[in-house]
Each structure stands twice: as structure tokens, then as C-alpha cells.
Amino acid sequence: MERPRILVIGGGFAGLECARRLERKLAATEAQISLVAPFSYQLYLPLLPHVAAGVLTPQSVAVSLRRSLRRTDVIPGGAIGIDPRAKVAIIRKITDQEIVEPYDYLVLAPGSVTRTFDIPGLTDHARGMKTLAEATYIRDHVIAQLDLASTTLDQNERAERLQFVVVGGGYAGTETAACLQRLTTAALDRYPRLDPRLIKWHLIDIAPKLMPELGDHLGARALKVLRERGVEVSLGVSVKAVDEHAVTFTDGRVIPSRTLIWTAGVAASPLISTLDAETVRGRIAVTAEMRVPQFEGVFALGDAAAVPDLAKGDGAVCPPTAQHSARQGKKVADNLVAALRNQPLQPYYHKDLGLVVDLGGKDAVSKPVGVEMTGVPAQLVARGYHLMAMRTNVAKFRVGCNWLINATAGDDFVRTGFLARQPARLRDFEYTDAYLTKEQVREHAQALQAKH
């Protein structure tokens, strides 16, 4: 008898946790497990600001899928369309070869992409912080601005290169601004020709508060830390337009700048739009058991799914966080096992364990299990949480060693240069234009099946 085929789309927190738990709970004879991922690692997203700032090396936050998984087939590519009626996924491999992958059970965990708006120049000039390549590029770019500003005689060019704008007052934006501001401050000793007063970091957000999820006290504490370091934080403000030389704010200010880092939220992977399924604000609607009700054997979770938040109630859905994604991955695996064994499925219910925000150095704000903390204790909690959450001991060891080396030896402010002179638009890093339309999926799948 042929084993049921379980296909997991996505190797992030949700997809990897699901596949790991399936391996533990199912015998090899019970199911064939495959996971589709464009890269051979799970990206530990919360530490990307540390990569951008050079505190961690890129490899440190790239948790090996093949070290984490033992008998799951890892397909190197990305799903560009799903035909749930024919029970096939269209996969584009990293060689650009397209194949059709059949399944009996499908787990949709494709994650999210950077959310953008119809702002003139945004998609051409903004840089994201969603991928490892983007974080590495931003580090190179920021150091390049210091290199170029220190040698130019053009005062306007120097002003443009030494002002940096980060959009988004959530965790990603706040940590990015905090860590990169520390990078440029520490680098000043290596650039004696630069006037420290010319280096300016701007953090803006349309919301009236910084990181409102932390509560008024901790949010105000984080705001105070940033402003004391010289970061200009503007709330109730967004971007009106951006070009190669300046960023225009909605309050009328024009900031001479060649660096716009965009972290203003996320949107579900475009893969979701290839299915003819109900959505909630762009995320696929699922039951509390994370089933997609329109299609048999299809589950969805993580950033791409509107999973009901039973802990909050009142129709709330779980926010797109790593904490929820990892725990949803485990619950979906449990429900898949139950489905295979004709047992009842269980709803996802999770009480938030708290929040941690690493502002670099000795600065942090944390709220583990509702206890508010600041300074060094909060930093220890934040870094301890990240080490605990990483999926392999090798990754934990690398991150811990990197933190120690950076704290004792500092940074050499080296540009790797491997992305120099390459397009650095959001779509270049996140492949948002790679997907089929839902009208194309059925025809495309049939053509591929006939071909092969």
C-alpha cells in the first residue's frame, strides 16, 4: 500500500516545526514527508538586525534544514501555484525547472513578504529586512555610505549618505534602527574625517506609539533609549515619496538620504492568491484546527493564515510572529497525525509567553510572562529566549560565540561586496513576481503533467 504523501510548503518557523514533529510522531511506514524551501535553512528572523549590524554572521541565523530533519525530502525551490482540486503543487526549483508535486495532505506555511503601499518610488528605492540577503546587503550598504561620505568633497552628497531612514515602529524596525545606529556610532573611530554630528538616524511610524504591544511603560522606555542615542523618532508620520537622493515625509519634511529601510509590516505570501479560498486581510481563512475548510486535506498556518486566536476571542486572529508560527507548526503536525489515524483534531490555543526587544549593547526591554524588565536583565532574557528558540545546538553555539566575540573584539566594518552593483529592490530579494495567477494554475499544472 502506498504511503500518504504530506507536502509542507515553506521552511520557516511553521514549516520546519511541523516537519520535525511529524518525523517524531509518525513511523516511516505511515507517511512520506516532503518539504519545499528555496534555501536549505530556516532563517531565524528575529536576529536579522544583528546580522545587519555585524553582531552575528549570516550563517549564525541560518539553521540547517538537513541538520534539523532526518527523513524528510527537502525540495530546493518554491511553490508558485496550488491546485487543491487536483491535489498538486507547482514547484519552481532553484534551477528554474518547474515540476508538479502531488500530495494527499498539504501544509501551507509559505510565510510572508514585506508589505508595501502605493508610494512613489518606494518599490524601487526601499530596502527590506525580511531575508538574509537583505540584511547582508543593508550592512554592506550602510558601511559603503560611510566609506563614500568620508572621501567626497560634495557637501550635499555627504549629507545624503549620512542620513538613514527606517520606516516601521514595530519590533523589526525598532531593533533595526537601534542596532544599525550602534554600528555607525562604533565605526566613527575608523573614519576620522567624518563629523559625528552629520550622521543621523530617523525612525518613523504612522502609529501614535512605539511598539504598542509592549504597553505604555516599556514602549516609552524604548523610545527614551533611542532618543538618548540620537535617533530621531517621529510618530504619526509616514513616507510620501522617495527617490535616489531624498525621502519626503507626510508632514512635509524632506530628508536628504540614500538609505530607506522599510519594515512597515508584512503581507501573506502571494502564493495564497493562487488558491480560490476565502481570505481575511490577505491571509487564508482557516478553522481553529488550521484546516482550510474549502479543500480536503489542506492546512494553513503561520504568517500566511488567519488562525483564530482563541486566547483573545472576539474574532481575533493570531499575529504573524515567530512564537505563534512555531507553535502552530507543532499543532498542525499533531492534527495531521490525528487525521491519518482517524482521531479527532484539536484547536490551536496558545497564551502569549511575552515579548523581547533587543536594542543592542546593554539596552533591551522585555515582558516575559507579563513581567516588565529593562536594561541588562531584559537583555539577558531576550538573548536567552533567542538561544532557547533556535532549533539546533550548532546554531545556538554559533550565535553565542558571535555575541561574545562582538562584545570583546568589536567590529572590523568590512563590506563583503558580493551584492555590489546588483539590483536591491524588494522584489529582487523576495521574488514577489514569481507566482502564477489562480486562473493560470490549473492549465499550467495540466501542461506540466502532460510534459513529464
Side-chain angles (χ1 to χ4, degrees):
M1 182 178 176
E2 188 175 353
R3 294 176 296 167
R5 295 164 297 193
I6 300 175
L7 182 63
V8 181
I9 304 293
F13 285 97
L16 178 58
E17 288 295 344
C18 181
R20 279 167 54 91
R21 198 170 185 95
L22 286 171
E23 283 190 348
R24 290 198 299 271
K25 290 208 159 191
L26 290 175
T29 55
E30 286 186 274
Q32 173 187 331
I33 308 167
S34 298
L35 183 143
V36 180
F39 307 107
S40 60
Y41 58 81
Q42 176 224 16
L43 176 60
Y44 191 80
L45 270 167
L47 290 179
L48 274 187
H50 284 209
V51 174
V55 176
L56 298 176
T57 62
Q59 188 180 1
S60 301
V61 299
V63 182
S64 169
L65 292 178
R66 297 190 183 277
R67 189 183 287 272
S68 303
L69 301 170
R70 299 301 180 189
R71 56 185 174 86
T72 297
D73 295 324
V74 179
I75 302 173
I80 60 172
I82 305 291
D83 185 351
R85 293 175 178 83
K87 289 201 167 188
V88 296
I90 302 172
I91 310 298
R92 181 175 291 157
K93 290 187 174 182
I94 57 174
T95 58
D96 284 336
Q97 176 194 6
E98 293 181 359
I99 62 172
V100 172
E101 191 70 23
Y103 64 83
D104 296 296
Y105 294 93
L106 177 67
V107 178
L108 286 171
S112 56
V113 296
T114 301
R115 181 180 61 183
T116 59
F117 300 95
D118 188 19
I119 297 171
L122 180 66
T123 55
D124 288 326
H125 299 291
R127 311 295 174 233
M129 271 290 287
K130 199 76 176 64
T131 68
L132 193 55
E134 284 174 316
T136 308
Y137 171 85
I138 285 173
R139 173 173 168 79
D140 271 20
H141 173 80
V142 169
I143 295 174
Q145 302 316 297
L146 300 179
D147 289 344
L148 293 165
S150 70
T151 56
T152 185
L153 299 178
D154 186 325
Q155 298 301 317
N156 291 330
E157 179 187 349
R158 180 175 292 139
E160 292 171 4
R161 295 196 182 281
L162 294 181
Q163 293 212 61
F164 307 90
V165 180
V166 179
V167 182
Y171 305 116
T174 302
E175 289 187 337
T176 296
C179 291
L180 286 173
Q181 186 273 337
R182 282 179 55 84
L183 168 70
T184 55
T185 300
L188 282 173
D189 287 343
R190 315 292 175 90
Y191 296 90
R193 295 178 62 183
L194 288 182
D195 184 345
R197 293 170 297 180
L198 294 179
I199 300 179
K200 295 180 181 178
W201 281 88
H202 301 264
L203 175 62
I204 70 171
D205 194 276
I206 196 65
K209 296 180 181 179
L210 196 69
M211 296 182 293
E213 301 89 344
L214 281 173
D216 290 345
H217 177 254
L218 290 183
R221 174 65 179 175
L223 181 62
K224 183 173 183 289
V225 168
L226 292 176
R227 285 179 169 162
E228 286 177 348
R229 288 190 193 170
V231 178
E232 295 189 14
V233 182
S234 301
L235 301 174
V237 177
S238 188
V239 173
K240 182 179 180 181
V242 56
D243 60 33
E244 188 178 351
H245 301 283
V247 180
T248 303
F249 293 172
T250 52
D251 63 5
R253 284 179 291 165
V254 179
I255 307 298
S257 176
R258 300 197 183 191
T259 307
L260 175 63
I261 303 172
W262 184 265
T263 67
V266 296
S269 165
L271 180 66
I272 298 306
S273 65
T274 71
L275 289 86
D276 189 15
E278 182 183 348
T279 59
V280 178
R281 296 183 180 177
R283 301 164 72 185
I284 192 166
V286 297
T287 66
E289 297 77 21
M290 288 171 285
R291 291 186 306 104
V292 180
Q294 296 97 321
F295 309 118
E296 181 186 357
V298 179
F299 294 79
L301 64 161
D303 291 4
V307 179
D309 191 339
L310 300 183
K312 291 184 179 178
D314 295 326
V317 298
C318 297
T321 65
Q323 190 178 131
H324 275 294
S325 293
R327 285 158 179 77
Q328 288 168 8
K330 294 176 181 178
K331 180 56 71 174
V332 164
D334 291 343
N335 281 338
L336 276 167
V337 172
L340 287 168
R341 296 173 181 172
N342 295 315
Q343 296 171 350
L345 277 57
Q346 299 297 320
Y348 172 73
Y349 181 94
H350 172 66
K351 187 173 177 59
D352 203 332
L353 297 180
L355 306 164
V356 295
V357 181
D358 188 337
L359 300 174
K362 297 177 181 179
D363 294 319
V365 290
S366 299
K367 196 174 181 180
V369 294
V371 179
E372 295 188 351
M373 305 175 72
T374 61
V376 173
Q379 183 66 278
L380 292 173
V381 168
R383 297 198 172 185
Y385 171 81
H386 290 313
L387 288 177
M388 180 184 69
M390 301 196 89
R391 276 294 148 246
T392 68
N393 290 329
V394 170
K396 295 175 183 180
F397 183 74
R398 281 201 181 102
V399 167
C401 287
N402 277 193
W403 277 334
L404 179 61
I405 291 170
N406 185 264
T408 55
D411 197 335
D412 286 328
F413 311 106
V414 172
R415 287 181 287 115
T416 59
F418 73 92
L419 286 173
R421 300 178 183 274
Q422 298 298 313
R425 297 161 298 188
L426 294 171
R427 61 179 176 271
D428 296 318
F429 285 112
E430 301 184 30
Y431 311 108
T432 52
D433 54 358
Y435 299 87
L436 302 172
T437 66
K438 58 185 175 185
E439 291 78 19
Q440 294 173 320
V441 168
R442 175 65 62 88
E443 182 179 342
H444 209 72
Q446 290 174 345
L448 287 172
Q449 287 174 315
K451 182 179 178 180
H452 298 289

